[in-house]
PDB file of all heavy atoms in Angstrom:
ATOM      1  N   VAL A  83      -4.737 -18.965 -10.693  1.00 79.00           N
ATOM      2  CA  VAL A  83      -5.009 -18.102  -9.588  1.00 79.00           C
ATOM      3  C   VAL A  83      -6.415 -17.622  -9.835  1.00 79.00           C
ATOM      4  O   VAL A  83      -6.837 -16.725 -10.380  1.00 79.00           O
ATOM      5  CB  VAL A  83      -4.079 -16.756  -9.665  1.00 79.00           C
ATOM      6  CG1 VAL A  83      -4.534 -15.804  -8.479  1.00 79.00           C
ATOM      7  CG2 VAL A  83      -2.595 -17.095  -9.756  1.00 79.00           C
ATOM      8  N   SER A  84      -7.337 -18.416  -9.086  1.00 82.00           N
ATOM      9  CA  SER A  84      -8.747 -18.169  -9.264  1.00 82.00           C
ATOM     10  C   SER A  84      -9.331 -17.412  -8.117  1.00 82.00           C
ATOM     11  O   SER A  84     -10.322 -16.685  -8.320  1.00 82.00           O
ATOM     12  CB  SER A  84      -9.562 -19.467  -9.528  1.00 82.00           C
ATOM     13  OG  SER A  84      -9.285 -20.309  -8.439  1.00 82.00           O
ATOM     14  N   ASP A  85      -8.895 -17.584  -6.927  1.00 92.00           N
ATOM     15  CA  ASP A  85      -9.435 -16.978  -5.786  1.00 92.00           C
ATOM     16  C   ASP A  85      -8.518 -16.004  -5.031  1.00 92.00           C
ATOM     17  O   ASP A  85      -7.551 -16.383  -4.403  1.00 92.00           O
ATOM     18  CB  ASP A  85      -9.763 -18.204  -4.692  1.00 92.00           C
ATOM     19  CG  ASP A  85     -10.562 -17.614  -3.488  1.00 92.00           C
ATOM     20  OD1 ASP A  85     -10.928 -16.419  -3.575  1.00 92.00           O
ATOM     21  OD2 ASP A  85     -10.683 -18.423  -2.566  1.00 92.00           O
ATOM     22  N   LEU A  86      -8.836 -14.780  -5.229  1.00 94.00           N
ATOM     23  CA  LEU A  86      -7.923 -13.826  -4.485  1.00 94.00           C
ATOM     24  C   LEU A  86      -8.858 -13.071  -3.414  1.00 94.00           C
ATOM     25  O   LEU A  86      -8.400 -12.020  -2.940  1.00 94.00           O
ATOM     26  CB  LEU A  86      -7.578 -12.769  -5.614  1.00 94.00           C
ATOM     27  CG  LEU A  86      -6.585 -13.016  -6.620  1.00 94.00           C
ATOM     28  CD1 LEU A  86      -6.175 -12.069  -7.589  1.00 94.00           C
ATOM     29  CD2 LEU A  86      -5.245 -13.485  -5.827  1.00 94.00           C
ATOM     30  N   SER A  87      -9.929 -13.637  -2.949  1.00 96.00           N
ATOM     31  CA  SER A  87     -10.602 -13.141  -1.864  1.00 96.00           C
ATOM     32  C   SER A  87      -9.798 -13.015  -0.609  1.00 96.00           C
ATOM     33  O   SER A  87      -9.012 -13.935  -0.415  1.00 96.00           O
ATOM     34  CB  SER A  87     -11.970 -13.872  -1.629  1.00 96.00           C
ATOM     35  OG  SER A  87     -11.679 -15.221  -1.248  1.00 96.00           O
ATOM     36  N   ALA A  88     -10.048 -11.987   0.133  1.00 97.00           N
ATOM     37  CA  ALA A  88      -9.144 -11.695   1.213  1.00 97.00           C
ATOM     38  C   ALA A  88      -9.846 -11.116   2.477  1.00 97.00           C
ATOM     39  O   ALA A  88     -10.944 -10.355   2.172  1.00 97.00           O
ATOM     40  CB  ALA A  88      -8.060 -10.846   0.990  1.00 97.00           C
ATOM     41  N   HIS A  89      -9.327 -11.160   3.586  1.00 97.00           N
ATOM     42  CA  HIS A  89     -10.004 -10.514   4.839  1.00 97.00           C
ATOM     43  C   HIS A  89      -9.230  -9.247   4.968  1.00 97.00           C
ATOM     44  O   HIS A  89      -9.824  -8.358   5.591  1.00 97.00           O
ATOM     45  CB  HIS A  89      -9.791 -11.373   6.053  1.00 97.00           C
ATOM     46  CG  HIS A  89     -10.608 -12.695   5.951  1.00 97.00           C
ATOM     47  ND1 HIS A  89     -10.063 -13.894   5.522  1.00 97.00           N
ATOM     48  CD2 HIS A  89     -11.826 -12.842   6.341  1.00 97.00           C
ATOM     49  CE1 HIS A  89     -11.052 -14.836   5.645  1.00 97.00           C
ATOM     50  NE2 HIS A  89     -12.234 -14.273   6.069  1.00 97.00           N
ATOM     51  N   ALA A  90      -8.142  -9.163   4.502  1.00 97.00           N
ATOM     52  CA  ALA A  90      -7.202  -7.787   4.539  1.00 97.00           C
ATOM     53  C   ALA A  90      -6.307  -7.748   3.480  1.00 97.00           C
ATOM     54  O   ALA A  90      -5.854  -8.719   2.910  1.00 97.00           O
ATOM     55  CB  ALA A  90      -6.450  -7.814   5.880  1.00 97.00           C
ATOM     56  N   VAL A  91      -6.152  -6.564   2.890  1.00 98.00           N
ATOM     57  CA  VAL A  91      -5.223  -6.218   1.763  1.00 98.00           C
ATOM     58  C   VAL A  91      -4.352  -5.018   2.217  1.00 98.00           C
ATOM     59  O   VAL A  91      -4.909  -3.956   2.568  1.00 98.00           O
ATOM     60  CB  VAL A  91      -6.070  -5.762   0.445  1.00 98.00           C
ATOM     61  CG1 VAL A  91      -5.074  -5.482  -0.662  1.00 98.00           C
ATOM     62  CG2 VAL A  91      -6.935  -6.966   0.011  1.00 98.00           C
ATOM     63  N   LYS A  92      -3.109  -5.307   2.171  1.00 97.00           N
ATOM     64  CA  LYS A  92      -2.217  -4.175   2.276  1.00 97.00           C
ATOM     65  C   LYS A  92      -2.211  -3.595   0.806  1.00 97.00           C
ATOM     66  O   LYS A  92      -1.736  -4.211  -0.027  1.00 97.00           O
ATOM     67  CB  LYS A  92      -0.721  -4.738   2.662  1.00 97.00           C
ATOM     68  CG  LYS A  92       0.186  -3.580   3.024  1.00 97.00           C
ATOM     69  CD  LYS A  92       0.630  -2.846   1.646  1.00 97.00           C
ATOM     70  CE  LYS A  92       1.901  -1.788   1.887  1.00 97.00           C
ATOM     71  NZ  LYS A  92       1.987  -1.187   0.493  1.00 97.00           N
ATOM     72  N   VAL A  93      -2.740  -2.356   0.713  1.00 97.00           N
ATOM     73  CA  VAL A  93      -2.893  -1.819  -0.563  1.00 97.00           C
ATOM     74  C   VAL A  93      -1.639  -1.614  -1.360  1.00 97.00           C
ATOM     75  O   VAL A  93      -0.659  -1.166  -0.746  1.00 97.00           O
ATOM     76  CB  VAL A  93      -3.489  -0.255  -0.251  1.00 97.00           C
ATOM     77  CG1 VAL A  93      -3.598   0.524  -1.599  1.00 97.00           C
ATOM     78  CG2 VAL A  93      -4.821  -0.291   0.457  1.00 97.00           C
ATOM     79  N   PRO A  94      -1.661  -2.109  -2.505  1.00 96.00           N
ATOM     80  CA  PRO A  94      -0.439  -2.086  -3.304  1.00 96.00           C
ATOM     81  C   PRO A  94       0.013  -0.573  -3.708  1.00 96.00           C
ATOM     82  O   PRO A  94      -0.772   0.222  -3.880  1.00 96.00           O
ATOM     83  CB  PRO A  94      -0.808  -2.837  -4.593  1.00 96.00           C
ATOM     84  CG  PRO A  94      -1.998  -3.537  -4.260  1.00 96.00           C
ATOM     85  CD  PRO A  94      -2.708  -2.786  -3.186  1.00 96.00           C
ATOM     86  N   HIS A  95       1.333  -0.431  -3.825  1.00 93.00           N
ATOM     87  CA  HIS A  95       1.941   0.788  -4.337  1.00 93.00           C
ATOM     88  C   HIS A  95       1.593   2.024  -3.745  1.00 93.00           C
ATOM     89  O   HIS A  95       1.356   3.011  -4.322  1.00 93.00           O
ATOM     90  CB  HIS A  95       1.661   0.777  -5.907  1.00 93.00           C
ATOM     91  CG  HIS A  95       2.781   1.350  -6.647  1.00 93.00           C
ATOM     92  ND1 HIS A  95       2.664   2.780  -7.016  1.00 93.00           N
ATOM     93  CD2 HIS A  95       3.896   0.878  -7.135  1.00 93.00           C
ATOM     94  CE1 HIS A  95       3.785   3.007  -7.679  1.00 93.00           C
ATOM     95  NE2 HIS A  95       4.568   2.021  -7.756  1.00 93.00           N
ATOM     96  N   HIS A  96       1.309   1.949  -2.381  1.00 93.00           N
ATOM     97  CA  HIS A  96       0.985   3.070  -1.542  1.00 93.00           C
ATOM     98  C   HIS A  96      -0.299   3.775  -1.867  1.00 93.00           C
ATOM     99  O   HIS A  96      -0.482   4.968  -1.547  1.00 93.00           O
ATOM    100  CB  HIS A  96       2.248   4.199  -1.468  1.00 93.00           C
ATOM    101  CG  HIS A  96       3.490   3.618  -1.251  1.00 93.00           C
ATOM    102  ND1 HIS A  96       3.855   3.298   0.058  1.00 93.00           N
ATOM    103  CD2 HIS A  96       4.495   3.198  -2.056  1.00 93.00           C
ATOM    104  CE1 HIS A  96       5.119   2.759  -0.017  1.00 93.00           C
ATOM    105  NE2 HIS A  96       5.474   2.649  -1.214  1.00 93.00           N
ATOM    106  N   GLY A  97      -1.153   3.096  -2.591  1.00 94.00           N
ATOM    107  CA  GLY A  97      -2.388   3.581  -3.041  1.00 94.00           C
ATOM    108  C   GLY A  97      -2.243   4.627  -4.283  1.00 94.00           C
ATOM    109  O   GLY A  97      -2.908   5.561  -4.427  1.00 94.00           O
ATOM    110  N   SER A  98      -1.369   4.241  -5.172  1.00 94.00           N
ATOM    111  CA  SER A  98      -1.326   5.099  -6.472  1.00 94.00           C
ATOM    112  C   SER A  98      -2.248   4.542  -7.374  1.00 94.00           C
ATOM    113  O   SER A  98      -2.740   3.382  -7.416  1.00 94.00           O
ATOM    114  CB  SER A  98       0.126   4.951  -6.897  1.00 94.00           C
ATOM    115  OG  SER A  98       0.413   3.841  -7.758  1.00 94.00           O
ATOM    116  N   ARG A  99      -2.611   5.358  -8.428  1.00 95.00           N
ATOM    117  CA  ARG A  99      -3.481   4.982  -9.559  1.00 95.00           C
ATOM    118  C   ARG A  99      -2.923   3.732 -10.314  1.00 95.00           C
ATOM    119  O   ARG A  99      -3.620   3.095 -11.080  1.00 95.00           O
ATOM    120  CB  ARG A  99      -3.884   6.145 -10.355  1.00 95.00           C
ATOM    121  CG  ARG A  99      -2.650   6.492 -11.213  1.00 95.00           C
ATOM    122  CD  ARG A  99      -3.076   7.803 -12.027  1.00 95.00           C
ATOM    123  NE  ARG A  99      -3.194   8.972 -11.184  1.00 95.00           N
ATOM    124  CZ  ARG A  99      -4.047   9.945 -11.491  1.00 95.00           C
ATOM    125  NH1 ARG A  99      -4.791   9.963 -12.534  1.00 95.00           N
ATOM    126  NH2 ARG A  99      -4.074  10.962 -10.620  1.00 95.00           N
ATOM    127  N   ASN A 100      -1.604   3.468 -10.117  1.00 94.00           N
ATOM    128  CA  ASN A 100      -0.950   2.504 -11.038  1.00 94.00           C
ATOM    129  C   ASN A 100      -0.806   1.155 -10.088  1.00 94.00           C
ATOM    130  O   ASN A 100      -0.259   0.172 -10.574  1.00 94.00           O
ATOM    131  CB  ASN A 100       0.440   2.781 -11.471  1.00 94.00           C
ATOM    132  CG  ASN A 100       1.022   2.051 -12.468  1.00 94.00           C
ATOM    133  OD1 ASN A 100       0.314   1.412 -13.311  1.00 94.00           O
ATOM    134  ND2 ASN A 100       2.279   1.879 -12.489  1.00 94.00           N
ATOM    135  N   GLY A 101      -1.374   1.114  -8.909  1.00 95.00           N
ATOM    136  CA  GLY A 101      -1.307   0.020  -7.973  1.00 95.00           C
ATOM    137  C   GLY A 101      -2.506  -1.056  -8.212  1.00 95.00           C
ATOM    138  O   GLY A 101      -2.545  -1.892  -7.240  1.00 95.00           O
ATOM    139  N   TYR A 102      -3.272  -0.764  -9.197  1.00 96.00           N
ATOM    140  CA  TYR A 102      -4.346  -1.856  -9.335  1.00 96.00           C
ATOM    141  C   TYR A 102      -4.812  -1.823 -10.737  1.00 96.00           C
ATOM    142  O   TYR A 102      -4.516  -0.892 -11.532  1.00 96.00           O
ATOM    143  CB  TYR A 102      -5.665  -1.442  -8.389  1.00 96.00           C
ATOM    144  CG  TYR A 102      -6.214  -0.092  -8.790  1.00 96.00           C
ATOM    145  CD1 TYR A 102      -7.200   0.009  -9.663  1.00 96.00           C
ATOM    146  CD2 TYR A 102      -5.686   1.009  -8.130  1.00 96.00           C
ATOM    147  CE1 TYR A 102      -7.703   1.241 -10.060  1.00 96.00           C
ATOM    148  CE2 TYR A 102      -6.249   2.175  -8.391  1.00 96.00           C
ATOM    149  CZ  TYR A 102      -7.269   2.400  -9.276  1.00 96.00           C
ATOM    150  OH  TYR A 102      -7.680   3.630  -9.569  1.00 96.00           O
ATOM    151  N   CYS A 103      -5.625  -2.906 -11.216  1.00 95.00           N
ATOM    152  CA  CYS A 103      -6.041  -2.873 -12.591  1.00 95.00           C
ATOM    153  C   CYS A 103      -7.644  -3.040 -12.406  1.00 95.00           C
ATOM    154  O   CYS A 103      -7.977  -3.443 -11.336  1.00 95.00           O
ATOM    155  CB  CYS A 103      -5.489  -3.993 -13.412  1.00 95.00           C
ATOM    156  SG  CYS A 103      -5.813  -5.680 -12.770  1.00 95.00           S
ATOM    157  N   PRO A 104      -8.246  -2.939 -13.478  1.00 93.00           N
ATOM    158  CA  PRO A 104      -9.857  -3.244 -13.337  1.00 93.00           C
ATOM    159  C   PRO A 104     -10.046  -4.600 -12.978  1.00 93.00           C
ATOM    160  O   PRO A 104      -9.305  -5.556 -13.280  1.00 93.00           O
ATOM    161  CB  PRO A 104     -10.283  -2.977 -14.890  1.00 93.00           C
ATOM    162  CG  PRO A 104      -9.249  -2.046 -15.596  1.00 93.00           C
ATOM    163  CD  PRO A 104      -7.928  -2.405 -14.793  1.00 93.00           C
ATOM    164  N   ALA A 105     -11.047  -4.814 -12.192  1.00 95.00           N
ATOM    165  CA  ALA A 105     -11.460  -6.027 -11.629  1.00 95.00           C
ATOM    166  C   ALA A 105     -10.551  -6.630 -10.498  1.00 95.00           C
ATOM    167  O   ALA A 105     -11.025  -7.606  -9.846  1.00 95.00           O
ATOM    168  CB  ALA A 105     -11.557  -7.090 -12.693  1.00 95.00           C
ATOM    169  N   LEU A 106      -9.506  -5.944 -10.106  1.00 96.00           N
ATOM    170  CA  LEU A 106      -8.639  -6.454  -9.029  1.00 96.00           C
ATOM    171  C   LEU A 106      -9.331  -6.500  -7.792  1.00 96.00           C
ATOM    172  O   LEU A 106      -9.395  -7.424  -7.048  1.00 96.00           O
ATOM    173  CB  LEU A 106      -7.271  -5.687  -8.936  1.00 96.00           C
ATOM    174  CG  LEU A 106      -6.359  -6.231  -7.920  1.00 96.00           C
ATOM    175  CD1 LEU A 106      -5.873  -7.658  -8.096  1.00 96.00           C
ATOM    176  CD2 LEU A 106      -5.196  -5.136  -7.740  1.00 96.00           C
ATOM    177  N   TRP A 107      -9.925  -5.227  -7.342  1.00 97.00           N
ATOM    178  CA  TRP A 107     -10.605  -5.172  -5.988  1.00 97.00           C
ATOM    179  C   TRP A 107     -11.853  -5.973  -6.093  1.00 97.00           C
ATOM    180  O   TRP A 107     -12.242  -6.375  -4.973  1.00 97.00           O
ATOM    181  CB  TRP A 107     -10.721  -3.627  -5.637  1.00 97.00           C
ATOM    182  CG  TRP A 107      -9.391  -3.143  -5.128  1.00 97.00           C
ATOM    183  CD1 TRP A 107      -8.324  -2.550  -5.784  1.00 97.00           C
ATOM    184  CD2 TRP A 107      -9.050  -3.327  -3.749  1.00 97.00           C
ATOM    185  NE1 TRP A 107      -7.331  -2.312  -4.903  1.00 97.00           N
ATOM    186  CE2 TRP A 107      -7.683  -2.711  -3.668  1.00 97.00           C
ATOM    187  CE3 TRP A 107      -9.632  -3.717  -2.514  1.00 97.00           C
ATOM    188  CZ2 TRP A 107      -6.980  -2.585  -2.478  1.00 97.00           C
ATOM    189  CZ3 TRP A 107      -8.867  -3.700  -1.390  1.00 97.00           C
ATOM    190  CH2 TRP A 107      -7.613  -3.052  -1.287  1.00 97.00           C
ATOM    191  N   ASN A 108     -12.471  -6.077  -7.181  1.00 96.00           N
ATOM    192  CA  ASN A 108     -13.789  -7.004  -7.169  1.00 96.00           C
ATOM    193  C   ASN A 108     -13.280  -8.402  -6.768  1.00 96.00           C
ATOM    194  O   ASN A 108     -13.902  -9.025  -6.053  1.00 96.00           O
ATOM    195  CB  ASN A 108     -14.213  -7.240  -8.635  1.00 96.00           C
ATOM    196  CG  ASN A 108     -14.682  -5.947  -9.151  1.00 96.00           C
ATOM    197  OD1 ASN A 108     -14.029  -4.852  -9.177  1.00 96.00           O
ATOM    198  ND2 ASN A 108     -15.828  -5.970  -9.897  1.00 96.00           N
ATOM    199  N   ARG A 109     -12.084  -8.884  -7.091  1.00 96.00           N
ATOM    200  CA  ARG A 109     -11.552 -10.212  -6.801  1.00 96.00           C
ATOM    201  C   ARG A 109     -11.178 -10.284  -5.265  1.00 96.00           C
ATOM    202  O   ARG A 109     -11.428 -11.336  -4.691  1.00 96.00           O
ATOM    203  CB  ARG A 109     -10.327 -10.560  -7.724  1.00 96.00           C
ATOM    204  CG  ARG A 109     -10.844 -10.785  -9.170  1.00 96.00           C
ATOM    205  CD  ARG A 109     -11.453 -12.080  -9.558  1.00 96.00           C
ATOM    206  NE  ARG A 109     -10.406 -13.227  -9.481  1.00 96.00           N
ATOM    207  CZ  ARG A 109      -9.463 -13.493 -10.404  1.00 96.00           C
ATOM    208  NH1 ARG A 109      -9.486 -12.796 -11.585  1.00 96.00           N
ATOM    209  NH2 ARG A 109      -8.702 -14.466 -10.189  1.00 96.00           N
ATOM    210  N   PHE A 110     -10.545  -9.203  -4.781  1.00 97.00           N
ATOM    211  CA  PHE A 110     -10.105  -9.213  -3.390  1.00 97.00           C
ATOM    212  C   PHE A 110     -11.447  -9.188  -2.530  1.00 97.00           C
ATOM    213  O   PHE A 110     -11.400  -9.670  -1.506  1.00 97.00           O
ATOM    214  CB  PHE A 110      -9.427  -7.901  -3.069  1.00 97.00           C
ATOM    215  CG  PHE A 110      -7.997  -7.788  -3.617  1.00 97.00           C
ATOM    216  CD1 PHE A 110      -7.335  -6.537  -3.743  1.00 97.00           C
ATOM    217  CD2 PHE A 110      -7.291  -8.798  -3.987  1.00 97.00           C
ATOM    218  CE1 PHE A 110      -6.161  -6.441  -4.187  1.00 97.00           C
ATOM    219  CE2 PHE A 110      -5.977  -8.724  -4.540  1.00 97.00           C
ATOM    220  CZ  PHE A 110      -5.450  -7.440  -4.513  1.00 97.00           C
TER     221      PHE A 110
END
Side-chain angles (χ1 to χ4, degrees):
V83 181
S84 60
D85 186 6
L86 289 176
S87 62
H89 294 92
V91 176
K92 190 288 189 181
V93 176
H95 212 263
H96 307 282
S98 81
R99 70 182 71 213
N100 196 31
Y102 61 91
C103 64
L106 180 66
W107 279 89
N108 299 46
R109 297 276 293 274
F110 290 160

